[in-house]
Amino acid sequence: MKYYSTNKNTPDVTLKEAVVKGLASDNGLFMPERIEKFSPSFFENIHKLSFNEIAFEVARKFFGEDVEESNLKEIVNSTLQFDCPVKQVANNTYSLELFHGPTLAFKDVGGRFMARLLNYFLAGNKKQVHVLVATSGDTGSAVANGFLGVEGIHVHVLYPKGKVSKIQESQFTTLGQNITALEVDGTFDDCQHLVKTAFLDAELNKKLLLTSANSINVARFLPQAFYYFNAYARLKEKGILQNKKLVVSVPSGNFGNLTAGLFAKEMGLPVEQFLAANNENDVVYNYLKTGNYTPRPSVETIANAMDVGAPSNFARILDLYNHSHEKISSVIKGYRYTDEQIRQTIKNVFTQTGYLCDPHGACGYMALQEFLAPDQVGIFLETAHPAKFTETVEAVVGKGNVPLPQKLAAFMKGTKQSIAMSKDFKSFKTYLSDLK
Ligand SMILES: *Cc1c(COP(=O)(O)O)cnc(C)c1O
């Protein structure tokens, strides 16, 4: 299948090119030229399939023409070594827990899938491939853990010194093997600048095979559709959807997760309504209300993975619906919440139901509470384990109420290994030039 750019100013590319390049050369985002629908009978029987079987059927619709069937199955199965279970939280309200992967956040699904797909496309390539990724925290850990141990690929994670949490830092500095962490004396923007400059450097690109693992990569973003289908199947299996319509609430920052849900809907998944739950970074919320899209610098909140002022996947949403504000604002309803509302919700949900939300999931939960009608069933995406935000969550529900999962404890015990790097390009170029 071919992929086109949302800016429509560059020729279409193959899946392999889209995955290796990440961003189109006209700075647009890649979109598949077709979205194939499932037949109604697929949905009638979907509850008889396992998560992995469903994911494979979905993957086949996107990647079936370009990836050998047995390889695709292998990529799907080795990506999904963990479950994304549905849990009841309140009457008609369910949580889709996306935090059972290695770094305890939903980005593991796309990170792992992309690593394996890239490995598939670059197999037989004699040259070592170098993945450069700048991170403000969570992306680095998802990409590093996704690529950990993948042969022929080395990942270099650039992160701003002193500006990521200890938990986040431990998730990409303690891995070793084919992962190197570079602690940059600067900001996240400096890290991103170093990466971008490296991609433009002719000398480096002559010597090395460099690629990015940006969150806008189609191989990271499309696989997120898998768990929407699975959530539907598991609710149907329990008989919960009889005579009820499904509402899905997505805590959103860059809107990649929600866009994958919209793709699922375009493929026929019976979702009545999507809710986009934001923190105080509300540019899409304002667009949905007014039709005016005005990106602006992000503000810091306690749901910091959604502190995005210019959501990159918004371009995909516009493209998907031919820039129609009327259509987009009917498919997606927007909500936004202050830090105070987020704290209050974490507390209320915990005291009333015993369920522990993280600050992002709490936004999703609130949106459902505001929207849901009695003839509907709501599901909100729990995008991270609450222990990833222990300080915030414990301050609300009390010390000792946020158990540290085994996986996180193991990261915290590991030894930090990182290379100090200045923010000027010369030293980064010297570092890269010494690689093979
Ligand atoms: C990345 C992230 C989000 C936002 O997801 P987008 O796809 O960028 O909208 C929400 N919650 C958590 C925990 C995240 O890490």
Side-chain angles (χ1 to χ4, degrees), residues 290-312:
T290 66
N292 299 319
Y293 180 64
T294 319
R296 55 163 197 270
S298 61
V299 295
E300 277 184 37
T301 76
I302 58 169
N304 60 16
M306 309 197 303
D307 293 351
V308 179
S312 42

Side-chain angles (χ1 to χ4, degrees), residues 387-398:
K388 289 197 88 169
F389 306 90
T390 303
E391 275 173 37
T392 305
V393 180
E394 275 198 336
V396 174
V397 300

Side-chain angles (χ1 to χ4, degrees), residues 66-225:
D66 301 290
V67 183
E68 193 59 47
E69 181 162 310
S70 61
N71 294 104
L72 189 57
K73 192 169 267 177
E74 159 71 23
I75 291 170
V76 168
N77 287 338
S78 75
T79 297
L80 299 179
Q81 302 266 324
F82 50 89
D83 197 13
C84 298
V86 172
K87 304 249 172 92
Q88 182 162 24
V89 175
N91 195 22
N92 282 342
T93 302
Y94 294 80
S95 158
L96 172 56
E97 292 187 349
L98 302 178
F99 55 67
H100 295 277
T103 74
L104 297 112
F106 82 90
K107 292 187 179 70
D108 280 330
V109 175
R112 290 168 66 86
F113 190 94
M114 181 187 161
R116 284 153 181 82
L117 191 61
L118 196 57
N119 184 49
Y120 169 81
F121 280 133
L122 298 174
N125 212 317
K126 295 216 175 53
K127 251 174 143 178
Q128 166 101 326
V129 179
H130 294 279
V131 173
L132 307 182
V133 56
T135 186
S136 58
D138 271 350
T139 297
S141 54
V143 170
N145 283 272
F147 280 90
L148 182 64
V150 175
E151 231 171 278
I153 300 179
H154 198 106
V155 176
H156 308 267
V157 181
L158 289 83
Y159 72 103
K161 180 178 175 175
K163 295 193 178 66
V164 305
S165 78
K166 283 281 165 236
I167 288 183
Q168 288 174 325
E169 188 179 36
S170 72
Q171 290 181 319
F172 52 78
T173 58
T174 61
L175 298 167
Q177 297 185 55
N178 59 330
I179 312 297
T180 304
L182 302 171
E183 188 172 20
V184 176
D185 196 1
T187 62
F188 168 64
D189 290 333
D190 293 324
C191 297
Q192 203 151 29
H193 185 71
L194 287 177
V195 169
K196 282 190 178 155
T197 314
F199 286 130
L200 295 174
D201 190 287
E203 223 179 317
L204 282 176
N205 283 279
K206 221 165 144 192
K207 176 165 191 271
L208 299 170
L209 198 51
L210 297 177
T211 185
S212 82
N214 202 296
S215 68
I216 45 85
N217 197 298
V218 287
R220 278 191 61 193
F221 135 81
L222 289 173
Q224 295 168 358

Side-chain angles (χ1 to χ4, degrees), residues 105-107 138 251-257 305-306 358 360 383-384 389:
F106 82 90
K107 292 187 179 70
D138 271 350
S252 295
N254 254 328
F255 280 75
N257 210 357
M306 309 197 303
D358 95 294
H360 308 81
T383 46
F389 306 90

